[in-house]
């Protein structure tokens, strides 16, 4: 083959999981998390419509190193069109080299 | 009963902590949030509206981290940039009808070198999406913002009202000053400020009418 077909970018497994996963209904019941992962602070989720949807900082920070998937295959383009690519107007001092 | 058994069977629930490539549940946020960015103006830009860009909306804890881990940190942004994280449907401008009667708690970090602005911005975003800045039914939080400026970083927390509730002529459902003060104290705590460092609240219309001079703070704590 001499011509290379350019396939559209495929979502990663993590992106697909994010899309297809269902929302936990009432989380923080004992037993859903692997050992070593803390549940959300139960004091925050004692009733009302917010039940299971308030999360303390320490609970949320546990995800930081675990989920690093880009939101979409087009993310780099989205970022370039909004936040910029860092080349123009970057706060980083220009390299002297 | 068998459906309930399946829901509560821990072995059928795979969180991102079990397998970050193959999970089948995610953590819902109480609100859908939209991240906005203000680009620093260049000579070609005519008005601020062209500089305000909607980046992405999200409604799960997992997606928040995917975004946070793949976006420019605040400490790398150019002067005159802002990130805004607002509830979906609210533009991060005081002209938005939903912000018209509101105001903001704010704090300026004047020593840019000594402050870890990335952590502070992360912590205020986590408090917003985790819904710990207000109590259920307060319904005051509109969004949070970080401004990168030449001489300082500023973090703000926008509220729906200015705490005029209970007073004559106040709009219905307007929170009272006590609610705004409670939110202010949580804002201060989230930013890990010392007691002597005062966070200040001002109404958007007061700020707008004050022009270049600084609006008088309505509350502080």
């Amino acid at each position: 083959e001499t011509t290379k077909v350019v396939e559209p970018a495929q979502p990663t497994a993590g992106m697909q999981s994010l899309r297809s996963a269902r929302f936990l209904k009432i989380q923080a019941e004992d037993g859903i998390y692997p050992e070593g992962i803390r549940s959300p602070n139960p004091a925050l989720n004692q009733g009302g419509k917010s039940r299971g949807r308030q999360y303390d900082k320490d609970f949320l920070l546990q995800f930081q190193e675990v989920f690093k998937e880009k939101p979409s295959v087009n993310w780099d383009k989205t970022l370039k069109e909004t936040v910029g690519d860092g080349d123009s107007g970057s706060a980083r001092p220009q390299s002297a080299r | 009963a068998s459906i309930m058994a399946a829901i509560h069977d821990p072995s059928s629930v795979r969180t991102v902590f079990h397998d970050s490539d193959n999970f089948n549940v995610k953590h819902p946020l109480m609100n859908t949030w939209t991240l906005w960015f203000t680009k620093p103006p260049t000579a070609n830009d005519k008005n601020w509206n062209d500089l305000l860009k909607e980046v992405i909306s999200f409604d799960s804890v997992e997606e928040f981290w995917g975004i946070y881990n793949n976006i420019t940190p605040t400490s790398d942004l150019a002067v005159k940039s802002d990130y805004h994280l607002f509830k979906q449907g609210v533009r991060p401008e005081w002209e938005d009808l939903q912000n018209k009667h509101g105001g903001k708690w704010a704090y300026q970090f004047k020593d840019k070198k000594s402050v870890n602005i990335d952590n502070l911005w992360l912590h205020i975003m986590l408090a917003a999406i985790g819904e710990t800045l207000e109590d259920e039914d307060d319904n005051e939080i509109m969004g949070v913002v970080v401004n990168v400026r030449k001489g300082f970083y500023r973090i703000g927390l926008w509220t729906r009202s200015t705490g005029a509730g209970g007073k004559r002529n106040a709009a219905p459902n307007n929170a009272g000053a006590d609610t705004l003060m409670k939110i202010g104290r949580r804002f201060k705590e989230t930013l890990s400020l010392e007691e002597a460092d005062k966070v200040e609240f001002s109404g958007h219309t007061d700020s707008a009418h004050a022009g270049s001079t600084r609006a008088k703070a309505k509350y502080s704590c």
Side-chain angles (χ1 to χ4, degrees), chain A residues 13 17-18 21-24 31-33 49-50 54-55 60 62-64 66-71 75 79 82-83 89 91-92, chain B residues 10 16-18 20-28 30 37 56 62 65-67 69-71 76-78 130-131 136-137:
Chain A
S17 287
L18 181 65
R22 69 172 169 85
F23 282 125
L24 272 169
I32 71 161
Y33 296 108
K49 62 175 184 282
S50 70
Q54 278 181 290
Y55 307 104
L60 292 172
Q62 298 177 113
F63 293 76
Q64 184 165 15
V66 172
F67 195 73
K68 300 192 165 186
E69 211 62 61
K70 290 176 182 175
W75 179 243
L79 211 52
T82 54
V83 180
R92 282 180 169 147
Chain B
V16 74
F17 298 111
H18 295 88
S20 61
D21 279 337
N22 187 14
F23 54 96
N24 61 12
V25 292
K26 55 187 174 183
H27 293 74
M30 205 186 305
F37 178 70
I56 193 170
E62 286 79 356
W65 283 109
I67 296 162
N69 283 325
N70 289 286
I71 202 164
D76 282 353
L77 295 177
E131 306 285 345
E136 197 174 352
D137 301 328

Short mmCIF file of all heavy atoms in Angstrom, two decimals, chain A residues 13 17-18 21-24 31-33 49-50 54-55 60 62-64 66-71 75 79 82-83 89 91-92, chain B residues 10 16-18 20-28 30 37 56 62 65-67 69-71 76-78 130-131 136-137:
data_model
loop_
_atom_site.label_atom_id
_atom_site.label_comp_id
_atom_site.label_asym_id
_atom_site.label_seq_id
_atom_site.Cartn_x
_atom_site.Cartn_y
_atom_site.Cartn_z
N ALA A 13 -10.10 4.30 25.75
CA ALA A 13 -10.97 3.50 26.61
C ALA A 13 -11.53 4.35 27.75
O ALA A 13 -12.71 4.27 28.09
CB ALA A 13 -10.19 2.32 27.17
N SER A 17 -15.40 5.06 28.61
CA SER A 17 -15.99 4.76 29.92
C SER A 17 -16.70 5.98 30.49
O SER A 17 -17.80 5.89 31.02
CB SER A 17 -14.90 4.31 30.90
OG SER A 17 -14.46 3.00 30.60
N LEU A 18 -16.05 7.14 30.34
CA LEU A 18 -16.66 8.36 30.88
C LEU A 18 -18.01 8.60 30.22
O LEU A 18 -18.97 9.01 30.87
CB LEU A 18 -15.73 9.56 30.64
CG LEU A 18 -16.23 10.90 31.17
CD1 LEU A 18 -16.32 10.89 32.70
CD2 LEU A 18 -15.33 12.05 30.72
N ALA A 21 -20.52 5.41 31.35
CA ALA A 21 -20.76 5.10 32.77
C ALA A 21 -22.07 5.72 33.23
O ALA A 21 -22.45 6.80 32.79
CB ALA A 21 -19.60 5.64 33.62
N ARG A 22 -22.77 5.02 34.10
CA ARG A 22 -23.99 5.59 34.66
C ARG A 22 -23.63 6.38 35.91
O ARG A 22 -22.59 6.14 36.54
CB ARG A 22 -25.00 4.49 35.00
CG ARG A 22 -24.58 3.60 36.16
CD ARG A 22 -25.69 2.66 36.58
NE ARG A 22 -25.19 1.65 37.51
CZ ARG A 22 -25.09 1.84 38.83
NH1 ARG A 22 -25.44 2.99 39.36
NH2 ARG A 22 -24.62 0.88 39.60
N PHE A 23 -24.49 7.33 36.26
CA PHE A 23 -24.27 8.09 37.48
C PHE A 23 -24.58 7.22 38.68
O PHE A 23 -25.61 6.55 38.72
CB PHE A 23 -25.16 9.33 37.52
CG PHE A 23 -24.66 10.46 36.68
CD1 PHE A 23 -25.46 11.04 35.71
CD2 PHE A 23 -23.37 10.95 36.86
CE1 PHE A 23 -24.99 12.10 34.94
CE2 PHE A 23 -22.90 12.01 36.10
CZ PHE A 23 -23.70 12.58 35.14
N LEU A 24 -23.70 7.23 39.65
CA LEU A 24 -23.99 6.58 40.92
C LEU A 24 -25.24 7.22 41.50
O LEU A 24 -25.39 8.44 41.46
CB LEU A 24 -22.83 6.82 41.89
CG LEU A 24 -21.67 5.83 41.85
CD1 LEU A 24 -20.51 6.38 42.66
CD2 LEU A 24 -22.12 4.48 42.40
N GLY A 31 -18.38 0.01 50.94
CA GLY A 31 -18.12 -1.17 50.12
C GLY A 31 -18.00 -0.93 48.64
O GLY A 31 -17.64 -1.85 47.92
N ILE A 32 -18.30 0.26 48.14
CA ILE A 32 -18.16 0.40 46.69
C ILE A 32 -16.75 0.78 46.28
O ILE A 32 -16.37 0.57 45.14
CB ILE A 32 -19.19 1.37 46.05
CG1 ILE A 32 -18.90 2.82 46.42
CG2 ILE A 32 -20.62 0.97 46.39
CD1 ILE A 32 -19.58 3.78 45.47
N TYR A 33 -15.96 1.35 47.20
CA TYR A 33 -14.62 1.79 46.82
C TYR A 33 -13.57 0.75 47.18
O TYR A 33 -13.72 0.04 48.18
CB TYR A 33 -14.28 3.13 47.51
CG TYR A 33 -15.19 4.24 47.05
CD1 TYR A 33 -16.17 4.75 47.90
CD2 TYR A 33 -15.09 4.76 45.76
CE1 TYR A 33 -17.03 5.75 47.47
CE2 TYR A 33 -15.95 5.75 45.33
CZ TYR A 33 -16.92 6.25 46.18
OH TYR A 33 -17.77 7.22 45.75
N LYS A 49 -32.43 16.87 48.67
CA LYS A 49 -32.22 16.53 47.27
C LYS A 49 -30.73 16.44 46.92
O LYS A 49 -30.36 15.88 45.91
CB LYS A 49 -32.92 17.53 46.36
CG LYS A 49 -32.42 18.97 46.48
CD LYS A 49 -33.14 19.84 45.43
CE LYS A 49 -32.63 21.26 45.42
NZ LYS A 49 -33.16 22.09 46.50
N SER A 50 -29.88 17.00 47.78
CA SER A 50 -28.46 16.98 47.49
C SER A 50 -27.81 15.68 47.91
O SER A 50 -26.63 15.48 47.69
CB SER A 50 -27.76 18.13 48.21
OG SER A 50 -27.75 17.90 49.59
N GLN A 54 -22.81 16.03 47.43
CA GLN A 54 -21.88 16.98 48.04
C GLN A 54 -20.60 16.22 48.33
O GLN A 54 -20.63 15.10 48.86
CB GLN A 54 -22.45 17.56 49.32
CG GLN A 54 -23.43 18.70 49.07
CD GLN A 54 -23.95 19.24 50.38
OE1 GLN A 54 -24.71 18.57 51.07
NE2 GLN A 54 -23.52 20.43 50.73
N TYR A 55 -19.49 16.81 47.95
CA TYR A 55 -18.21 16.12 48.07
C TYR A 55 -17.20 17.05 48.74
O TYR A 55 -17.04 18.19 48.32
CB TYR A 55 -17.67 15.75 46.69
CG TYR A 55 -18.61 14.97 45.81
CD1 TYR A 55 -19.27 15.60 44.76
CD2 TYR A 55 -18.84 13.61 46.01
CE1 TYR A 55 -20.12 14.88 43.92
CE2 TYR A 55 -19.68 12.89 45.18
CZ TYR A 55 -20.32 13.53 44.13
OH TYR A 55 -21.16 12.84 43.30
N LEU A 60 -12.53 14.53 46.82
CA LEU A 60 -12.34 14.90 45.41
C LEU A 60 -10.86 14.81 44.98
O LEU A 60 -10.58 14.41 43.85
CB LEU A 60 -12.85 16.32 45.17
CG LEU A 60 -14.37 16.50 45.28
CD1 LEU A 60 -14.74 17.97 45.22
CD2 LEU A 60 -15.09 15.73 44.17
N GLN A 62 -8.73 12.72 45.67
CA GLN A 62 -8.29 11.35 45.39
C GLN A 62 -8.35 11.01 43.90
O GLN A 62 -7.66 10.10 43.43
CB GLN A 62 -9.17 10.35 46.15
CG GLN A 62 -9.09 10.49 47.65
CD GLN A 62 -10.04 9.53 48.35
OE1 GLN A 62 -9.61 8.63 49.02
NE2 GLN A 62 -11.34 9.73 48.19
N PHE A 63 -9.17 11.76 43.14
CA PHE A 63 -9.31 11.49 41.71
C PHE A 63 -8.15 12.09 40.89
O PHE A 63 -7.96 11.73 39.74
CB PHE A 63 -10.60 12.10 41.15
CG PHE A 63 -11.87 11.48 41.66
CD1 PHE A 63 -12.34 11.75 42.94
CD2 PHE A 63 -12.62 10.65 40.84
CE1 PHE A 63 -13.53 11.20 43.40
CE2 PHE A 63 -13.82 10.10 41.29
CZ PHE A 63 -14.26 10.36 42.57
N GLN A 64 -7.43 13.04 41.49
CA GLN A 64 -6.49 13.86 40.72
C GLN A 64 -5.47 13.03 39.94
O GLN A 64 -5.20 13.31 38.77
CB GLN A 64 -5.77 14.85 41.64
CG GLN A 64 -4.84 15.79 40.89
CD GLN A 64 -4.41 16.99 41.73
OE1 GLN A 64 -4.57 17.00 42.96
NE2 GLN A 64 -3.87 18.00 41.06
N VAL A 66 -5.77 9.83 39.37
CA VAL A 66 -6.40 8.61 38.86
C VAL A 66 -7.02 8.82 37.48
O VAL A 66 -6.91 7.96 36.61
CB VAL A 66 -7.50 8.15 39.86
CG1 VAL A 66 -8.31 7.00 39.28
CG2 VAL A 66 -6.85 7.73 41.18
N PHE A 67 -7.64 9.97 37.28
CA PHE A 67 -8.31 10.19 36.00
C PHE A 67 -7.70 11.37 35.28
O PHE A 67 -7.88 12.53 35.65
CB PHE A 67 -9.81 10.39 36.18
CG PHE A 67 -10.55 10.26 34.87
CD1 PHE A 67 -10.73 9.02 34.27
CD2 PHE A 67 -11.04 11.38 34.21
CE1 PHE A 67 -11.38 8.89 33.05
CE2 PHE A 67 -11.69 11.26 32.98
CZ PHE A 67 -11.85 10.01 32.41
N LYS A 68 -6.97 11.09 34.20
CA LYS A 68 -6.25 12.14 33.47
C LYS A 68 -6.63 12.18 32.01
O LYS A 68 -5.94 12.78 31.18
CB LYS A 68 -4.74 11.90 33.60
CG LYS A 68 -4.29 11.93 35.06
CD LYS A 68 -2.79 11.99 35.17
CE LYS A 68 -2.39 12.38 36.59
NZ LYS A 68 -0.97 12.60 36.74
N GLU A 69 -7.75 11.54 31.70
CA GLU A 69 -8.19 11.44 30.32
C GLU A 69 -8.65 12.79 29.79
O GLU A 69 -9.36 13.52 30.47
CB GLU A 69 -9.38 10.47 30.30
CG GLU A 69 -9.54 9.67 29.07
CD GLU A 69 -8.37 8.76 28.78
OE1 GLU A 69 -8.06 7.86 29.60
OE2 GLU A 69 -7.77 8.97 27.73
N LYS A 70 -8.25 13.14 28.58
CA LYS A 70 -8.77 14.36 27.96
C LYS A 70 -10.27 14.22 27.77
O LYS A 70 -10.77 13.11 27.55
CB LYS A 70 -8.10 14.60 26.61
CG LYS A 70 -6.64 15.00 26.74
CD LYS A 70 -5.98 15.12 25.38
CE LYS A 70 -4.50 15.47 25.59
NZ LYS A 70 -3.77 15.50 24.31
N PRO A 71 -11.02 15.33 27.83
CA PRO A 71 -12.47 15.24 27.73
C PRO A 71 -12.96 14.72 26.37
O PRO A 71 -14.04 14.15 26.28
CB PRO A 71 -12.96 16.67 27.93
CG PRO A 71 -11.81 17.39 28.54
CD PRO A 71 -10.56 16.69 28.11
N TRP A 75 -9.95 17.65 22.05
CA TRP A 75 -9.64 18.56 23.15
C TRP A 75 -8.52 19.55 22.81
O TRP A 75 -8.61 20.74 23.13
CB TRP A 75 -9.28 17.76 24.40
CG TRP A 75 -8.93 18.64 25.57
CD1 TRP A 75 -7.74 18.71 26.21
CD2 TRP A 75 -9.80 19.56 26.24
NE1 TRP A 75 -7.81 19.63 27.24
CE2 TRP A 75 -9.06 20.17 27.28
CE3 TRP A 75 -11.14 19.94 26.06
CZ2 TRP A 75 -9.59 21.13 28.14
CZ3 TRP A 75 -11.68 20.91 26.92
CH2 TRP A 75 -10.91 21.48 27.93
N LEU A 79 -8.93 23.52 23.06
CA LEU A 79 -8.06 24.28 23.94
C LEU A 79 -7.37 25.41 23.17
O LEU A 79 -7.28 26.55 23.63
CB LEU A 79 -7.02 23.33 24.53
CG LEU A 79 -6.50 23.65 25.92
CD1 LEU A 79 -7.62 23.85 26.91
CD2 LEU A 79 -5.61 22.50 26.39
N THR A 82 -9.69 28.30 22.49
CA THR A 82 -10.25 29.03 23.63
C THR A 82 -9.14 29.60 24.52
O THR A 82 -8.92 30.80 24.56
CB THR A 82 -11.17 28.12 24.45
OG1 THR A 82 -10.48 26.93 24.81
CG2 THR A 82 -12.43 27.78 23.67
N VAL A 83 -8.45 28.72 25.19
CA VAL A 83 -7.40 29.18 26.11
C VAL A 83 -6.13 29.57 25.35
O VAL A 83 -5.32 30.34 25.84
CB VAL A 83 -7.11 28.07 27.16
CG1 VAL A 83 -6.03 28.50 28.13
CG2 VAL A 83 -8.38 27.72 27.91
N GLY A 89 0.96 35.40 23.63
CA GLY A 89 0.49 35.99 24.88
C GLY A 89 0.76 35.15 26.10
O GLY A 89 0.13 35.31 27.12
N ALA A 91 2.39 33.88 29.44
CA ALA A 91 3.05 34.57 30.54
C ALA A 91 4.48 34.07 30.71
O ALA A 91 5.28 34.68 31.38
CB ALA A 91 2.28 34.33 31.83
N ARG A 92 4.74 32.94 30.08
CA ARG A 92 6.09 32.39 30.20
C ARG A 92 7.07 33.30 29.48
O ARG A 92 6.83 33.68 28.34
CB ARG A 92 6.15 31.01 29.58
CG ARG A 92 5.56 29.95 30.49
CD ARG A 92 5.64 28.61 29.81
NE ARG A 92 5.32 27.55 30.76
CZ ARG A 92 4.71 26.44 30.41
NH1 ARG A 92 4.36 26.24 29.17
NH2 ARG A 92 4.45 25.53 31.31
N PRO B 10 -21.64 -4.91 45.38
CA PRO B 10 -20.43 -4.10 45.16
C PRO B 10 -19.59 -4.59 43.98
O PRO B 10 -18.92 -3.81 43.33
CB PRO B 10 -19.65 -4.27 46.48
CG PRO B 10 -20.66 -4.75 47.47
CD PRO B 10 -21.67 -5.52 46.70
N VAL B 16 -13.81 4.58 38.92
CA VAL B 16 -12.55 4.94 38.28
C VAL B 16 -11.35 4.50 39.13
O VAL B 16 -10.25 4.29 38.62
CB VAL B 16 -12.57 6.47 38.00
CG1 VAL B 16 -12.37 7.27 39.28
CG2 VAL B 16 -11.59 6.88 36.94
N PHE B 17 -11.60 4.28 40.42
CA PHE B 17 -10.53 3.81 41.31
C PHE B 17 -10.23 2.33 41.09
O PHE B 17 -9.13 1.86 41.37
CB PHE B 17 -10.88 4.05 42.78
CG PHE B 17 -11.08 5.50 43.11
CD1 PHE B 17 -12.33 5.99 43.43
CD2 PHE B 17 -10.00 6.39 43.08
CE1 PHE B 17 -12.51 7.33 43.73
CE2 PHE B 17 -10.18 7.73 43.37
CZ PHE B 17 -11.44 8.20 43.70
N HIS B 18 -11.24 1.60 40.61
CA HIS B 18 -11.01 0.19 40.30
C HIS B 18 -10.25 0.05 38.99
O HIS B 18 -9.32 -0.74 38.88
CB HIS B 18 -12.34 -0.56 40.17
CG HIS B 18 -13.14 -0.64 41.43
ND1 HIS B 18 -14.03 0.34 41.81
CD2 HIS B 18 -13.17 -1.59 42.40
CE1 HIS B 18 -14.59 -0.01 42.96
NE2 HIS B 18 -14.08 -1.16 43.35
N SER B 20 -9.36 2.81 35.69
CA SER B 20 -9.61 4.13 35.09
C SER B 20 -9.88 4.04 33.58
O SER B 20 -10.30 5.01 32.96
CB SER B 20 -8.44 5.08 35.37
OG SER B 20 -7.26 4.56 34.79
N ASP B 21 -9.65 2.87 32.98
CA ASP B 21 -9.98 2.69 31.56
C ASP B 21 -11.33 2.03 31.38
O ASP B 21 -11.90 2.05 30.30
CB ASP B 21 -8.92 1.80 30.88
CG ASP B 21 -7.68 2.59 30.51
OD1 ASP B 21 -7.80 3.82 30.37
OD2 ASP B 21 -6.61 1.97 30.38
N ASN B 22 -11.79 1.37 32.41
CA ASN B 22 -12.99 0.55 32.26
C ASN B 22 -13.82 0.62 33.53
O ASN B 22 -13.83 -0.29 34.34
CB ASN B 22 -12.56 -0.90 31.96
CG ASN B 22 -13.74 -1.78 31.62
OD1 ASN B 22 -14.85 -1.29 31.36
ND2 ASN B 22 -13.52 -3.08 31.66
N PHE B 23 -14.52 1.75 33.68
CA PHE B 23 -15.38 1.93 34.86
C PHE B 23 -16.82 2.08 34.38
O PHE B 23 -17.05 2.45 33.23
CB PHE B 23 -14.93 3.14 35.69
CG PHE B 23 -14.81 4.44 34.93
CD1 PHE B 23 -15.84 5.35 34.92
CD2 PHE B 23 -13.64 4.75 34.22
CE1 PHE B 23 -15.72 6.55 34.24
CE2 PHE B 23 -13.51 5.95 33.54
CZ PHE B 23 -14.56 6.86 33.54
N ASN B 24 -17.76 1.72 35.23
CA ASN B 24 -19.15 1.77 34.77
C ASN B 24 -20.04 2.68 35.62
O ASN B 24 -21.23 2.77 35.39
CB ASN B 24 -19.76 0.36 34.67
CG ASN B 24 -19.79 -0.36 36.01
OD1 ASN B 24 -19.56 0.25 37.05
ND2 ASN B 24 -20.06 -1.66 35.99
N VAL B 25 -19.45 3.34 36.60
CA VAL B 25 -20.19 4.38 37.32
C VAL B 25 -19.32 5.63 37.41
O VAL B 25 -18.09 5.55 37.40
CB VAL B 25 -20.59 3.96 38.76
CG1 VAL B 25 -21.62 2.84 38.74
CG2 VAL B 25 -19.37 3.57 39.58
N LYS B 26 -19.97 6.79 37.44
CA LYS B 26 -19.26 8.05 37.65
C LYS B 26 -20.03 8.86 38.68
O LYS B 26 -21.20 8.57 38.96
CB LYS B 26 -19.09 8.81 36.34
CG LYS B 26 -20.38 9.08 35.58
CD LYS B 26 -20.11 9.68 34.20
CE LYS B 26 -21.40 9.80 33.41
NZ LYS B 26 -21.18 10.31 32.03
N HIS B 27 -19.36 9.88 39.23
CA HIS B 27 -19.92 10.63 40.35
C HIS B 27 -20.62 11.89 39.86
O HIS B 27 -19.97 12.79 39.32
CB HIS B 27 -18.81 10.99 41.34
CG HIS B 27 -18.24 9.80 42.04
ND1 HIS B 27 -17.40 8.91 41.40
CD2 HIS B 27 -18.41 9.34 43.30
CE1 HIS B 27 -17.08 7.95 42.27
NE2 HIS B 27 -17.68 8.19 43.42
N PRO B 28 -21.95 11.97 40.04
CA PRO B 28 -22.70 13.13 39.54
C PRO B 28 -22.44 14.38 40.37
O PRO B 28 -22.28 14.31 41.59
CB PRO B 28 -24.16 12.71 39.70
CG PRO B 28 -24.16 11.75 40.85
CD PRO B 28 -22.82 11.03 40.77
N MET B 30 -24.01 18.12 41.58
CA MET B 30 -25.37 18.63 41.80
C MET B 30 -25.78 19.56 40.66
O MET B 30 -26.92 19.63 40.28
CB MET B 30 -25.44 19.35 43.14
CG MET B 30 -26.87 19.38 43.71
SD MET B 30 -27.01 20.37 45.19
CE MET B 30 -25.78 19.65 46.23
N PHE B 37 -13.04 31.17 29.65
CA PHE B 37 -11.71 31.77 29.69
C PHE B 37 -11.76 33.16 29.08
O PHE B 37 -12.41 33.36 28.05
CB PHE B 37 -10.73 30.90 28.89
CG PHE B 37 -9.33 31.45 28.83
CD1 PHE B 37 -8.53 31.45 29.96
CD2 PHE B 37 -8.82 31.98 27.66
CE1 PHE B 37 -7.24 31.97 29.92
CE2 PHE B 37 -7.53 32.49 27.60
CZ PHE B 37 -6.74 32.49 28.74
N ILE B 56 -15.86 24.53 28.07
CA ILE B 56 -16.50 23.21 28.16
C ILE B 56 -17.47 23.19 29.34
O ILE B 56 -17.27 23.93 30.31
CB ILE B 56 -15.44 22.09 28.29
CG1 ILE B 56 -16.05 20.70 28.06
CG2 ILE B 56 -14.69 22.18 29.62
CD1 ILE B 56 -15.03 19.57 27.94
N GLU B 62 -15.43 12.93 37.58
CA GLU B 62 -14.40 12.37 36.70
C GLU B 62 -14.06 13.34 35.57
O GLU B 62 -12.88 13.58 35.26
CB GLU B 62 -14.88 11.03 36.13
CG GLU B 62 -14.87 9.87 37.12
CD GLU B 62 -16.07 9.88 38.09
OE1 GLU B 62 -16.90 10.82 38.05
OE2 GLU B 62 -16.17 8.94 38.90
N TRP B 65 -11.87 16.29 36.51
CA TRP B 65 -10.43 16.00 36.62
C TRP B 65 -9.78 15.80 35.26
O TRP B 65 -8.61 16.16 35.06
CB TRP B 65 -10.19 14.80 37.54
CG TRP B 65 -10.34 15.18 38.98
CD1 TRP B 65 -11.35 14.82 39.81
CD2 TRP B 65 -9.47 16.04 39.73
NE1 TRP B 65 -11.16 15.39 41.06
CE2 TRP B 65 -10.01 16.15 41.04
CE3 TRP B 65 -8.29 16.72 39.45
CZ2 TRP B 65 -9.41 16.90 42.04
CZ3 TRP B 65 -7.69 17.48 40.45
CH2 TRP B 65 -8.26 17.56 41.73
N GLY B 66 -10.52 15.22 34.32
CA GLY B 66 -9.99 15.10 32.96
C GLY B 66 -9.67 16.46 32.39
O GLY B 66 -8.64 16.65 31.73
N ILE B 67 -10.54 17.42 32.64
CA ILE B 67 -10.33 18.80 32.16
C ILE B 67 -9.17 19.43 32.92
O ILE B 67 -8.23 19.96 32.32
CB ILE B 67 -11.62 19.63 32.32
CG1 ILE B 67 -12.73 19.06 31.43
CG2 ILE B 67 -11.36 21.11 32.01
CD1 ILE B 67 -14.12 19.52 31.83
N ASN B 69 -6.71 18.24 34.51
CA ASN B 69 -5.40 17.64 34.24
C ASN B 69 -4.90 17.90 32.82
O ASN B 69 -3.78 17.53 32.48
CB ASN B 69 -5.44 16.13 34.50
CG ASN B 69 -5.38 15.80 35.99
OD1 ASN B 69 -4.71 16.47 36.75
ND2 ASN B 69 -6.10 14.76 36.40
N ASN B 70 -5.75 18.52 31.99
CA ASN B 70 -5.35 18.76 30.59
C ASN B 70 -5.57 20.20 30.16
O ASN B 70 -5.86 20.47 28.99
CB ASN B 70 -6.12 17.81 29.66
CG ASN B 70 -5.66 16.37 29.80
OD1 ASN B 70 -4.58 16.01 29.33
ND2 ASN B 70 -6.46 15.56 30.48
N ILE B 71 -5.47 21.13 31.10
CA ILE B 71 -5.65 22.53 30.74
C ILE B 71 -4.52 23.35 31.35
O ILE B 71 -3.91 22.93 32.34
CB ILE B 71 -7.06 23.03 31.20
CG1 ILE B 71 -7.48 24.26 30.39
CG2 ILE B 71 -7.11 23.29 32.71
CD1 ILE B 71 -8.96 24.58 30.51
N ASP B 76 0.53 29.60 34.54
CA ASP B 76 1.13 29.74 33.22
C ASP B 76 0.36 30.70 32.32
O ASP B 76 0.71 30.88 31.15
CB ASP B 76 1.19 28.38 32.50
CG ASP B 76 2.33 27.51 33.00
OD1 ASP B 76 3.14 28.02 33.81
OD2 ASP B 76 2.40 26.34 32.61
N LEU B 77 -0.73 31.29 32.83
CA LEU B 77 -1.53 32.18 31.99
C LEU B 77 -0.89 33.56 31.90
O LEU B 77 -0.20 34.01 32.82
CB LEU B 77 -2.94 32.34 32.57
CG LEU B 77 -3.83 31.10 32.61
CD1 LEU B 77 -5.16 31.44 33.29
CD2 LEU B 77 -4.08 30.55 31.20
N ALA B 78 -1.17 34.24 30.77
CA ALA B 78 -0.67 35.60 30.58
C ALA B 78 -1.45 36.57 31.47
O ALA B 78 -2.60 36.30 31.85
CB ALA B 78 -0.82 36.00 29.12
N GLY B 130 -18.20 20.66 44.51
CA GLY B 130 -18.56 19.78 45.62
C GLY B 130 -19.69 20.33 46.48
O GLY B 130 -20.16 19.68 47.40
N GLU B 131 -20.10 21.59 46.17
CA GLU B 131 -21.25 22.23 46.82
C GLU B 131 -21.06 22.40 48.32
O GLU B 131 -21.99 22.20 49.10
CB GLU B 131 -22.56 21.46 46.54
CG GLU B 131 -22.84 21.24 45.06
CD GLU B 131 -23.35 22.47 44.32
OE1 GLU B 131 -23.75 23.45 44.99
OE2 GLU B 131 -23.31 22.46 43.07
N GLU B 136 -27.71 23.65 51.29
CA GLU B 136 -28.81 23.36 50.38
C GLU B 136 -29.89 24.42 50.58
O GLU B 136 -30.17 24.83 51.70
CB GLU B 136 -29.35 21.97 50.74
CG GLU B 136 -30.19 21.41 49.64
CD GLU B 136 -30.59 19.98 49.95
OE1 GLU B 136 -30.09 19.41 50.92
OE2 GLU B 136 -31.42 19.46 49.19
N ASP B 137 -30.47 24.87 49.50
CA ASP B 137 -31.54 25.87 49.50
C ASP B 137 -31.05 27.31 49.66
O ASP B 137 -31.85 28.24 49.58
CB ASP B 137 -32.62 25.58 50.56
CG ASP B 137 -33.26 24.22 50.34
OD1 ASP B 137 -33.37 23.80 49.17
OD2 ASP B 137 -33.66 23.59 51.34
#
